[in-house]
Amino acid sequence: MNPPKTDARRHHDPTIRGFASDNYAGAHPEVMAAIALANGGHQVAYGEDDYTAHLQQIIRGHFGPTAEAFPVFNGTGANVVALQAVTDRWGAVICAESAHINVDEGGAPERMGGLKLLTVPTPDGKLTPELIDRQAFGWDDEHRAMPQVVSITQSTELGTLYTPDEIRAICDHAHERDMVVHLDGSRISNAAASLDVPMRTFTNAVGVDILSLGGTKNGALFGEAVVVLNQDAVRHMKHLRKLSMQLASKMRFVSVQLEALLAKDLWLRNARHANEMAQRLAEGVRAVDGVEILYPVQANGVFARLPHDVSERLMKKYRFYFWDETAGDVRWMCAFDTRAEDVDGFVAALKEEMAR
């Protein structure tokens, strides 16, 4: 008996775009073309392929001659692998209370990574040396998890940015206390585009030891990388990646996506466009009475406060999420494929709902 024939078909309207997450966007056409280019024939599995080898050259061009990339499947995997690589079994990680590793990774760093998160409330998602010191103590106290890492996010979960000098101050402060610095860079491209500096300017050049390098939010189909910047700070990355179920057998298809983004300027073009759309959105929202923008719009996200019922009605037209439902806070994210007409249509719908 022959199996039933099925035809692949589109199950969604590709003209519809929302503002819930930059993860909602598809893959950039240049990334899809790169995946097709890497297909066909045989390549050695588990990262011994030509595409992963070439990616190392590209990574060193961005982050210096000692940088080494370890491609992984996703951002949570990148963070869990990176943090395990710089902590002992009794180690702890200091991070902002709003950090993705604390709020949005289902407890994976603690449950899967076996480490303790020591969180600090921040007004804008950013740590400072003074805020770090609220948790940086008790290294000789066997009753307390030992602070070994400071983890910062660039851009932050609240859409704000660290300047290179601010990250340098954090790195110097952490290193003086024998701690290492991890940077969660799921939106690192947006930060570099907004600051108008190379990524190295606020990573290896100022003392960051290990980096989670984002790809998915900036046009990749899937895939991120752990980038080791300080080889002396990291232990057994290869083994940790495998142990954490983040070693892709057909790694060429992860590596070629990062190559497509980073080899030239696609990463920057995509990030600049997303940032520009966020600025357009913020400008339109500021003109709407009764809507408050909560944080500086420095990357590709806009955080706002508006009446709860307005958000619920607006969500039926455009997808987005509450950030703090009790307070009425929402988050609107722009992506590499967000169009000006998407933003203008959303602002018009917001004005209409606010007027009801």
Side-chain angles (χ1 to χ4, degrees), residues 155-178:
S155 57
T156 74
E157 288 299 297
L158 303 182
T160 53
L161 297 179
Y162 291 93
T163 67
D165 286 343
E166 287 173 332
I167 296 180
R168 183 190 297 277
I170 287 171
C171 291
D172 289 347
H173 194 73
H175 293 158
E176 288 170 2
R177 287 151 180 76
D178 293 324

Side-chain angles (χ1 to χ4, degrees), residues 26 56 109 158 184 188 228 239 277 283 331 336 343:
Q56 300 300 335
L158 303 182
D184 181 348
I188 189 174
V228 176
H239 301 282
M277 290 300 99
E283 182 178 349
R331 184 189 76 164
F336 76 89
V343 173

Side-chain angles (χ1 to χ4, degrees), residues 2 7 22 38 59 70 99 103 125 128 150-151 163 192 269 289 300 311:
N2 294 325
D7 296 320
D22 33 11
I59 289 294
F70 295 84
V103 176
T128 64
V150 174
S151 180
T163 67
R269 283 188 278 128
D289 290 337
N300 63 321
S311 291

Side-chain angles (χ1 to χ4, degrees), residues 66-145:
T66 63
E68 186 176 7
F70 295 84
V72 296
F73 289 113
N74 53 49
T76 297
N79 286 335
V80 171
V81 171
L83 293 174
Q84 284 184 95
V86 289
T87 53
D88 294 310
R89 289 186 62 192
W90 50 87
V93 177
I94 298 172
C95 65
E97 192 174 66
S98 59
H100 198 273
I101 58 174
N102 182 52
V103 176
D104 288 310
E105 294 187 346
E110 295 187 320
R111 292 175 64 87
M112 305 304 294
L115 50 90
K116 173 67 176 174
L117 298 180
L118 302 173
T119 64
V120 183
T122 66
D124 55 4
K126 295 163 58 175
L127 291 176
T128 64
E130 293 74 22
L131 289 174
I132 289 167
D133 279 347
R134 293 187 182 182
Q135 292 284 12
F137 64 89
W139 287 276
D140 293 327
D141 183 355
E142 67 266 37
H143 302 290
R144 188 171 194 267

Side-chain angles (χ1 to χ4, degrees), residues 128-345:
T128 64
E130 293 74 22
L131 289 174
I132 289 167
D133 279 347
R134 293 187 182 182
Q135 292 284 12
F137 64 89
W139 287 276
D140 293 327
D141 183 355
E142 67 266 37
H143 302 290
R144 188 171 194 267
M146 181 187 293
Q148 293 184 316
V149 183
V150 174
S151 180
I152 60 175
T153 311
Q154 177 81 320
S155 57
T156 74
E157 288 299 297
L158 303 182
T160 53
L161 297 179
Y162 291 93
T163 67
D165 286 343
E166 287 173 332
I167 296 180
R168 183 190 297 277
I170 287 171
C171 291
D172 289 347
H173 194 73
H175 293 158
E176 288 170 2
R177 287 151 180 76
D178 293 324
M179 296 188 292
V180 303
V181 177
H182 163 256
L183 189 145
D184 181 348
S186 65
R187 295 186 177 96
I188 189 174
S189 300
N190 301 94
S194 183
L195 293 169
D196 196 24
V197 297
M199 291 182 285
R200 71 175 72 90
T201 304
F202 55 85
T203 53
N204 54 299
V206 294
V208 173
D209 298 290
I210 193 165
L211 162 69
S212 297
L213 176 67
T216 309
K217 291 179 172 64
N218 197 34
L221 181 63
F222 64 91
E224 326 278 302
V226 177
V227 181
V228 176
L229 303 173
N230 176 8
Q231 297 290 340
D232 294 334
V234 173
R235 299 177 293 279
H236 306 297
M237 268 298 307
K238 290 198 302 183
H239 301 282
L240 285 170
R241 179 173 58 176
K242 177 68 173 183
L243 180 67
S244 301
M245 298 172 286
Q246 288 291 319
L247 178 64
S249 54
K250 297 183 180 181
M251 195 181 294
R252 58 171 150 161
F253 296 111
V254 182
S255 298
V256 76
Q257 294 180 70
L258 298 174
E259 177 186 15
L261 287 170
L262 298 169
K264 294 182 180 178
D265 68 344
L266 181 57
W267 67 277
L268 190 57
R269 283 188 278 128
N270 286 353
R272 280 177 175 164
H273 178 78
N275 291 357
E276 288 167 3
M277 290 300 99
Q279 289 296 332
R280 186 184 187 98
L281 176 58
E283 182 178 349
V285 167
R286 287 191 182 99
V288 181
D289 290 337
V291 180
E292 176 189 0
I293 293 180
L294 299 174
Y295 307 108
V297 180
Q298 297 178 325
N300 63 321
V302 179
F303 291 77
R305 180 172 296 163
L306 61 157
H308 191 280
D309 60 323
V310 172
S311 291
E312 288 192 323
R313 293 196 302 269
L314 194 57
M315 285 176 181
K316 296 177 181 178
K317 301 176 182 179
Y318 292 88
R319 288 293 300 269
F320 62 91
Y321 293 118
F322 281 107
W323 189 254
D324 182 341
E325 190 167 0
T326 302
D329 299 350
V330 298
R331 184 189 76 164
W332 299 319
M333 297 300 299
C334 296
F336 76 89
D337 64 346
T338 301
R339 304 167 301 190
E341 53 263 40
D342 299 325
V343 173
D344 296 345

